Amino acid sequence: RLARARAVQMLGNPMFSAEAVLPTLRRALTDLSVEVVREAVTAITVLGPTAAAARPDIEALFFHPDRQVATRARAALRSITR
């Protein structure tokens, strides 16, 4: 679980194009591990407007039972819509 979270975290590196990593990050948003979901949301935040296609997935997390996920989702939305 932590290895998956770390791998997802690395996908948020700006050296990767959103086109290349966004499909994987979007899948990670539905992972059973909350750590993986947190890292995926954070990575999408780093990608900013280039990750706009993930908007519906991010909005679906606004009421996630994990408060950190919900908070990070709101930050991600601000980032991808700026």
Side-chain angles (χ1 to χ4, degrees):
R1 165 176 78 195
L2 293 176
R4 285 195 328 270
R6 179 74 176 125
V8 168
Q9 179 185 40
M10 294 187 71
L11 293 177
N13 187 319
M15 70 183 247
F16 296 118
S17 73
E19 183 178 286
V21 300
L22 197 56
T24 301
L25 290 174
R26 290 179 76 182
R27 280 192 301 277
L29 293 174
T30 61
D31 196 276
L32 296 177
S33 166
V34 71
E35 291 90 356
V36 172
V37 177
R38 286 177 190 160
E39 294 303 334
V41 174
T42 300
I44 288 171
T45 302
V46 171
L47 293 174
T50 61
R55 183 178 183 153
D57 307 305
I58 293 295
E59 290 174 337
L61 297 174
F62 283 3
F63 301 102
H64 192 279
D66 181 82
R67 184 179 288 208
Q68 285 188 32
V69 169
T71 300
R72 290 180 190 197
R74 288 178 180 84
L77 183 64
R78 287 191 300 275
S79 175
I80 65 177
T81 59
R82 59 182 152 115

